[in-house]
Every structure is written in structure tokens, then in C-alpha cells.
């Protein structure tokens, strides 16, 4: 711009500023009275499908003063998170990090980086998560095929093989811990099978990680993600994810840029020190979310994966026995297929699900949950995850359920 | 599935489970030793462009025990956040909420909901944020045009009008507080102008909200977003956003679904109670991120917007005077165009930017920052935001800078 017009622009801007002050001297929207009240957060035992209660050590970490998202101490904490995820996932993949968002963002990050428009993908749908992965993949313009089973069932190897053979997908999605139905999906053999069909295996372990065995490298899983707010007992908002060398190659040889900047794995890999370039600014990370996730992973590492799997299994079996003693019917018939972190069951005739849930919340300050997606209105769900997976909590929730069964029958009057 | 084949599948699964236990009885990846060390977070005064230090009241809110993301008390807190955003934005838009992600996610949410592939969009680029909005829009398949000015300058109305007339975009992006250059963009008249050209006005106020006057409704802004970690002093991870009726209509009359499920405004509007349907599960929100954001908004409401604008302005002027007294040159020439939250300046000959930044960090535990994007390597940036915008902090950073100027000159030996 020439000087004369520059001056005119500046005069224009100055008058704009004056005008702004004059024109808007009164606030249109007054300060809301309700914000003068203190923040009200009731105490609850969270035995739904997540979030779980957060132990004091993790709350304290999340309550620490911030440092910058590009400080070297932050990179050190992120390196520690990466090691913690590699341990929890049982993987040596260098491309391992935490997404700055809830589990759905990790699902979206996996799909939008690994899949391009027009590619055939196959979704294992036996509950909510296969439906969500289908929704996301459609938005990406993928050619989405489904392998469907009723909620409460899992997929057998030969069923998957038949579908791979029929659809020839480039990616197969399956859920390890189907939190909407309480099913634990066996994973052995799936990776090898997918690779025989030149297909990547993508596994959702949001609800199962730390609560049931998973071995990313041994089981040939190509992309694995989880959440922070289940067994890891951190607040929601950060989601561990890891990519095998096979997945990494596919992602970094895309034809088109991924349709999201925030979830672009090239940028994220750099920020997390997973490439050979100096770390650069990508986004402002959820800094104390990372503090909390680091502590959640540290607690899991201290306890040991095998111990964590064992105590989740034991407390889940203890809960199942208690539910059966109350005359309640477990939704997943086969014991080995029951997810140790989330137990699902059916109420007898004469009860309204929502009434039972509300009774337990209002009288006992305990959250239990109804179904979700295909299981909505059919089942109840009790989560026992990490810090919350204790015999004491099982006793508390069984006591509350017994009370509800006595008070909520429709013939109670 | 028929019973016989079901049984066979179940036997198969049981054998898979046994096999899993047998095959992977040893952990491949051991528990990382570094996670046995305590979390290490140094104390710092964060006077970069954000995040800012978090005041005790907000840290305490973020450290509270969780409730569920669908509990009625959570909906109440979200309603309070909505009121707080409406106040901070000076808007009565019903479609007002917080994105569960950092500022970049809000930028992405704005663009991917409001723009469809093939549409012409115009980006005002005078620093980092116009470049990022360009990147995101290209990924969405938009036909992206740019109106470019050097960092340190702002856009005049007639320049914008000329570009609107030339490109006929459906959306114009501009940054209110250009944190990479320290420029405050005058906004008056832009909304009216855009609407004359049948174009939506999208404004980024991440770095300016609460620090400089903005009036979403009076200024006819169609989409406005901000961040939590600047003047609002909450941790990063939640981002206020609001849509005018004009923007809402465009978004809810798209031809194609938005390419992201996580940021789909239809789902988010429902979860935030902005439509007439019962609130449904969309994603697991960053629950204590919401607690913190609520407190950040409550502090702003308590203090009052005008007071907040005034004290940011005063402390920024005080800082500018101090910098000039040290013989330093301010990057933004015109006083009224200086962003009150982030002040930019140039070092004299004989200094290395990175050395000065490192000296101040290492000796004084104060973060100040270099440039970003087009201003990288050219300027230094000092942020005074919310809780951190005090005369005491200005004195601290000026003292540290004076010390650095004495010790870091290349002829110092």
C-alpha cells in the first residue's frame, strides 16, 4: 500500500476504534447471575461405563499449575506418556502418542489418517462402536461395508475371514471391549488373518485397556486406540493411540492430505517426537490432561498389567455372582466373553430401567447406566474400572440394586 | 446363526482365550522405570502467547472429582458455560457452546460445518491464523482465496470490500487478535459489509477475548470462537464458539454431512441443549475442563467485561512504555492497533532471539516467546492475559529483559 492510502486506512481504523467505543458503550448482554453462585459438583460413585472416579493422585496432577506446551519438561512428560502407552498396549511402535481429545477423536484420527475417500472398509458391528466407526467412515467418503452381529455376541475368526474374502477391504474395524453390550472380543489370529487379505486391523480398546489382556505387537494389531477415563482413571480428554509400521506406511503414503488439520498424524507425530525433525508447534495441548494421563499410566505401570487384568477379572466375577444371587440375568451368556470392566444384565419383568437407574442415583449416589445404541432400553450396565474396581464397590452397588428391586417393582403399591 | 454353528463358534472362542493366555504369558514390553519417578512440573510465570498461568480457584475446580457427562448437574454447568460465553461474546445466539478441544478444533469446527467442498472462501492472512484457516479449508476441498498483508498490519474495510467483490466468497475469515504479530483487527462494519456480499463473517478471537472489546451481535459476526487458555485462564482443551442465525441456517442446510463426527454441529448443538430434542450422548466431554472453563467465565463475569478490557489495556500500555524505555522497538507501530493481550517487539542488533528467551527462562523462570509462522525469527512476544495481566508481572518481565539485554549481547565478551 502507498503511504497516502496507508494514512487514510489508519485514520479509518482510528475512527473505527472511536466509533466502537461510542456505539457499544453499553453491554447488550448483562453478566449472568448464576455465575455468581459457586460451582456445584455433587459427590458420586461412578459405576457407569465411564468416566470412572479419579483417584486423588491423578486429581492432584490435573490440579497442578501449567507449563508451556512446548517446554522441554512438557516433552519429557509426553515421552513418559509414550512409554506408558507402549507398556499398556504391549507394543514397541515408535508412532505412539495421545490424541488431544476424547476416544471418539482417536477413532476419527485412526480412520481419517488411514482411509482415503473411495476405499473399501469393513466394520465389525455388534454394538455402538461399530456403528460410530461406520458413521465416521461414511463422512470420509469411504465405501463402507458391515459385518453385523446382535449386541451381546462377538465375531468368530471364520466369520471375519468370510467377510474379508467377500469385501476385500483395506481396513477392518473391531471393538475389543464392546461397552454397549459388555462383550470382550477375542483378538488372537485376527491380525494375521487381516494381513493375509492385505487389510489393516484397527481395534478399539477404549473400554478394555488395562482390564483385559491385549498385546498389540503379538496380536499383529495395526492401529489401537483407547481412552483416558476408563481403567486409566484420568479425566476424559486424552486418548492413547499407536500405529504399526504397516499402518504408518499407509498413512504416510496417502494421495490426499487427511481432511483434518487437528488430527493429521504427520503433524502429531512431529509434536510427539515420533519423527526425526525438531518438534514444532501444532496445537496447544491439554497440558494438565497430559499430567493426569501420565499419572494414570504410572499407576498402571506400578501395579503391573497382569495384576490389573487379574483384579478386574476377579471383581467382575464377584459382581456377576452377586447379580445372579439377586436373581438377575447376565446379558452375555458365555463367561469368557464377558468384559471384565463393564458388566451387563437384564431386569426381570415388572421393572422400568430408567426408574431403577434414577432410584440408585438419587438414594445411593451411585451411577449405573442403561444400554447404548443397539442395546438401549434392553440392559443395565455396571462399570468397575481401575480405582473403582473393588469388592467394596461391588458390595455397595449390589446393596443399592437390591434396594431398588424392592422399591421399584411396578406392583409395589 | 444356528445353534450348532453357534456352539462351534463358542468353542473356537474359548480355545482362543486359552491360547491367548498361553501364548502371551510373558509381557514383551516391561514397565517403564521412568514412570516410577514422580511427575516433575517446574514453577513458571507464563508470559508467552498462552497458555497463561491458571489462578488457584480455577485449578481447584479442575481438580474436583468428576460427575458423569450426562448427569443433570453437568447439563446445569454446561448451561452456565453457555451463559458465560454469551456474556463474553456479547451475543444472544442460542447456538453457543464449547468445543471439546483446543482453539484449532474450534477453527476446524467453524470451517467444516459452515463450508462445503467446492465453495469459495476468503481468508484474511496477516499472520499465523489466516494460514492455518487456509490449510484447514483446503483439506475440506474449498476453493480458498487469500487476502494477504504483512504481519504487523491489519485489514481496512475498503481492502476487504475489494476482495469480497473480486472473489464473491461464501465465508470470510479474519483474526481479531493476531497473536503471532500482536495486531488487533478493527471489526466494526465488517459484518454488514460481508452480508452485503452474501458472505458469512468468521472471526477468531482466541487471543483477544476478554482483553479487547468485541460485540458479536452488534458487530454482525456470524461465527466467533475463542480458547480457554488465554484471558479466561482455564487450561487448554475447551473452546467457546457461537453461531448467528444466518450461520445456523447455512450449517443446518448443508448438502453433505460435515466430514467430522466429533465436530458435527448438529450433534454438538443437541448435547449442549441448543435444539428442542432431549440431550443425547455424543462424546465423553472433558468434564473437569468444563468445570475450569465455567470458573474462568465466572471470574470474567464477576470482574465485568469493561473492567477486564480496561486493565488489559492499561497493563499493555505500561509494558509498551517500559519496553521503549529499555530502547526496544515495538513491532506494531500504531498504538490503537496493538493487541492488549500480546505485545510484540524487536530486539536491537547484536542479540540472538533464542538466547534471550532461554536466558529469561533459565535465570528468571519466565516464559516469553519468539514469533510464529510469518513472524518467526523476527520478533519477541510477551503475553499479559487475565490473571497474569498485572503491573507486578510487567515489572518482573522488564527486569528480566533488562538483565538479558546486559548479558546476551554478542559483544559481551
Amino acid at each position: 500500500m502507498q503511504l497516502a492510502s496507508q494514512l487514510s486506512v489508519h485514520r479509518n481504523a482510528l475512527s473505527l476504534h472511536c466509533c466502537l467505543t461510542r456505539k457499544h458503550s453499553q453491554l447488550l448482554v448483562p453478566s449472568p447471575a448464576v455465575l455468581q453462585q459457586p460451582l456445584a459438583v455433587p459427590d458420586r460413585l461412578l459405576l457407569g461405563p465411564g468416566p470412572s472416579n479419579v483417584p486423588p493422585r491423578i486429581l492432584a496432577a490435573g490440579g497442578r499449575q501449567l507449563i508451556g506446551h512446548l517446554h522441554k519438561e512438557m516433552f519429557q512428560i509426553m515421552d513418559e506418556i509414550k512409554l506408558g502407552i507402549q507398556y499398556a498396549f504391549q507394543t514397541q511402535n515408535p508412532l505412539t502418542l495421545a490424541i488431544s481429545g476424547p476416544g471418539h477423536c482417536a477413532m476419527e484420527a485412526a480412520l481419517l489418517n488411514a482411509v482415503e475417500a473411495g476405499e473399501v472398509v469393513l466394520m465389525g458391528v455388534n454394538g455402538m462402536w461399530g456403528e460410530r466407526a461406520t458413521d465416521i467412515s461414511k463422512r470420509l467418503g469411504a465405501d463402507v461395508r458391515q459385518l453385523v452381529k446382535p449386541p451381546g455376541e462377538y465375531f468368530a475368526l471364520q466369520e471375519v475371514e468370510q467377510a474379508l474374502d467377500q469385501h476385500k477391504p483395506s481396513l477392518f474395524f473391531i471393538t475389543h471391549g464392546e461397552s454397549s453390550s459388555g462383550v470382550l472380543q477375542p483378538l488372537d489370529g485376527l491380525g494375521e488373518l487381516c494381513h493375509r487379505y492385505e487389510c489393516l486391523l484397527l481395534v478399539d480398546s477404549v473400554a478394555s485397556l488395562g482390564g483385559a489382556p491385549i498385546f498389540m505387537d503379538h496380536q499383529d494389531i495395526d492401529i489401537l486406540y483407547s481412552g483416558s477415563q476408563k481403567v486409566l482413571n484420568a479425566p476424559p480428554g486424552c486418548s492413547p493411540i499407536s500405529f504399526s509400521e504397516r499402518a504408518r506406511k499407509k498413512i504416510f503414503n496417502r494421495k490426499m492430505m487427511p481432511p483434518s488439520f487437528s488430527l493429521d498424524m504427520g503433524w502429531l507425530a512431529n509434536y510427539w517426537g515420533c519423527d526425526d525433525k525438531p518438534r514444532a508447534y501444532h496445537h496447544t495441548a491439554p497440558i494438565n490432561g497430559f499430567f493426569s494421563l501420565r499419572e494414570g499410566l504410572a499407576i498402571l505401570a506400578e501395579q503391573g498389567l497382569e495384576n490389573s487384568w487379574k483384579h478386574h477379572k476377579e471383581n467382575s466375577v464377584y459382581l456377576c455372582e452377586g447379580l445372579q444371587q439377586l436373581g438377575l440375568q447376565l446379558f452375555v451368556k458365555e463367561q469368557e466373553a464377558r468384559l471384565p470392566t463393564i458388566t451387563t444384565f437384564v431386569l426381570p419383568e415388572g421393572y422400568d430401567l430408567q426408574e431403577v437407574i434414577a432410584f440408585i442415583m438419587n438414594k445411593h449416589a451411585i451411577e449405573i447406566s442403561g444400554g447404548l445404541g443397539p442395546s438401549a432400553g434392553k440392559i443395565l450396565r455396571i462399570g468397575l474400572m481401575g480405582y473403582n474396581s473393588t469388592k467394596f464397590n461391588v458390595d455397595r452397588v449390589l446393596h443399592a440394586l437390591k434396594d431398588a428391586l424392592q422399591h421399584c417393582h411396578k406392583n409395589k403399591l
Side-chain angles (χ1 to χ4, degrees), chain A:
Chain A
M1 216 187 325
Q2 296 303 307
L3 188 64
S5 77
Q6 240 176 359
L7 282 173
S8 125
V9 168
H10 286 179
R11 270 195 302 273
N12 184 321
L14 275 172
S15 76
L16 270 177
H17 275 277
C18 299
C19 157
L20 183 146
T21 316
R22 202 173 55 240
K23 185 170 159 192
H24 308 296
S25 58
Q26 295 294 314
L27 294 184
L28 171 75
V29 181
S31 170
V34 71
L35 286 181
Q36 289 167 31
Q37 302 298 317
L39 172 71
V41 183
D43 279 326
R44 296 237 160 94
L45 177 60
L46 302 175
L47 300 187
S52 198
N53 290 94
V54 179
R57 174 175 164 184
I58 298 181
L59 284 178
R64 303 247 335 228
Q65 185 52 263
L66 303 190
I67 53 174
H69 51 295
L70 296 170
H71 292 186
K72 67 177 196 295
E73 295 83 358
M74 195 69 219
F75 291 153
Q76 170 64 28
I77 290 167
M78 291 162 72
D79 289 345
E80 291 170 13
I81 289 173
K82 194 196 295 192
L83 287 168
I85 297 172
Q86 286 172 331
Y87 173 67
F89 282 8
Q90 286 295 295
T91 183
Q92 294 180 314
N93 291 332
L95 187 46
T96 300
L97 50 86
I99 298 289
S100 300
H104 271 99
C105 275
M107 181 192 274
E108 204 151 74
L111 290 166
L112 74 81
N113 281 285
V115 176
E116 297 204 61
E119 278 185 55
V120 176
V121 294
L122 178 66
M123 302 289 148
V125 182
N126 59 341
M128 185 69 174
W129 310 114
E131 290 186 357
R132 285 277 161 107
T134 299
D135 178 314
I136 291 171
S137 303
K138 282 185 181 164
R139 291 170 191 257
L140 297 170
D143 179 354
V144 188
R145 319 290 174 87
Q146 290 188 324
L147 174 62
V148 181
K149 297 204 75 162
E153 295 189 15
Y154 57 84
F155 299 96
L157 271 178
Q158 57 267 46
E159 294 170 315
V160 175
E161 176 154 22
Q162 201 179 347
L164 291 174
D165 190 45
Q166 182 188 342
H167 298 292
K168 307 277 188 302
S170 66
L171 179 142
F172 175 55
F173 168 91
I174 201 164
T175 309
H176 186 220
E178 231 316 337
S179 61
S180 71
S181 64
V183 163
L184 181 68
Q185 170 68 46
L187 295 175
D188 265 3
L190 277 177
E192 203 192 331
L193 181 63
C194 285
H195 296 165
R196 234 188 305 137
Y197 284 87
E198 291 177 21
C199 168
L200 294 180
L201 175 61
L202 165 59
V203 176
D204 177 315
S205 69
V206 172
S208 59
L209 185 74
I214 195 163
F215 302 86
M216 184 171 191
D217 287 357
H218 273 157
Q219 291 176 322
D220 296 311
I221 297 167
D222 292 300
I223 312 178
L224 182 63
Y225 64 86
S226 190
S228 54
Q229 79 280 14
K230 309 276 180 170
V231 170
L232 293 178
N233 284 153
C238 304
S239 304
I241 194 167
S242 179
F243 298 85
S244 72
E245 180 55 22
R246 196 184 298 254
R248 206 191 60 78
K249 274 193 187 141
K250 181 161 196 301
I251 286 174
F252 292 139
N253 288 292
R254 292 174 62 93
K255 291 188 207 80
M256 302 282 286
M257 276 199 298
S260 163
F261 174 80
S262 299
L263 298 175
D264 182 320
M265 207 44 64
W267 280 94
L268 286 168
N270 171 267
Y271 179 47
W272 279 85
C274 304
D275 62 17
D276 50 7
K277 284 171 273 188
R279 295 182 182 198
Y281 168 66
H282 170 247
H283 68 288
T284 305
I287 293 160
N288 52 8
F290 285 177
F291 295 169
S292 299
L293 177 60
R294 190 266 184 204
E295 290 302 271
L297 289 162
I299 290 171
L300 181 64
E302 239 172 65
Q303 182 177 38
L305 273 173
E306 295 104 325
N307 290 332
S308 184
W309 296 334
K310 186 161 168 273
H311 96 247
H312 280 91
K313 181 80 182 181
E314 284 169 1
N315 290 324
S316 151
V317 167
Y318 181 60
L319 172 63
C320 289
E321 287 167 0
L323 291 170
Q324 287 172 314
Q325 278 161 19
L326 289 178
L328 298 167
Q329 191 196 333
L330 298 173
F331 184 61
V332 181
K333 300 289 163 260
E334 188 188 335
Q335 197 188 327
E336 285 299 317
R338 287 180 198 144
L339 184 57
T341 48
I342 294 168
T343 298
T344 49
F345 60 99
V346 181
L347 286 181
E349 284 291 307
Y351 290 98
D352 175 76
L353 284 176
Q354 290 310 320
E355 192 186 347
V356 169
I357 291 168
F359 181 90
I360 290 174
M361 173 75 94
N362 296 334
K363 182 158 171 207
H364 296 270
I366 299 174
E367 174 185 49
I368 70 167
S369 173
L372 186 67
S375 68
K378 295 179 189 158
I379 60 171
L380 285 176
R381 300 186 290 164
I382 295 177
L384 296 170
M385 293 182 280
Y387 177 63
N388 275 359
S389 175
T390 63
K391 284 213 158 41
F392 179 71
N393 282 343
V394 174
D395 290 338
R396 274 187 70 180
V397 74
L398 288 172
H399 168 76
L401 255 174
K402 190 173 175 184
D403 193 21
L405 291 174
Q406 281 165 359
H407 287 85
C408 300
H409 197 277
K410 66 181 174 193
N411 296 330
K412 63 181 178 279
L413 300 177

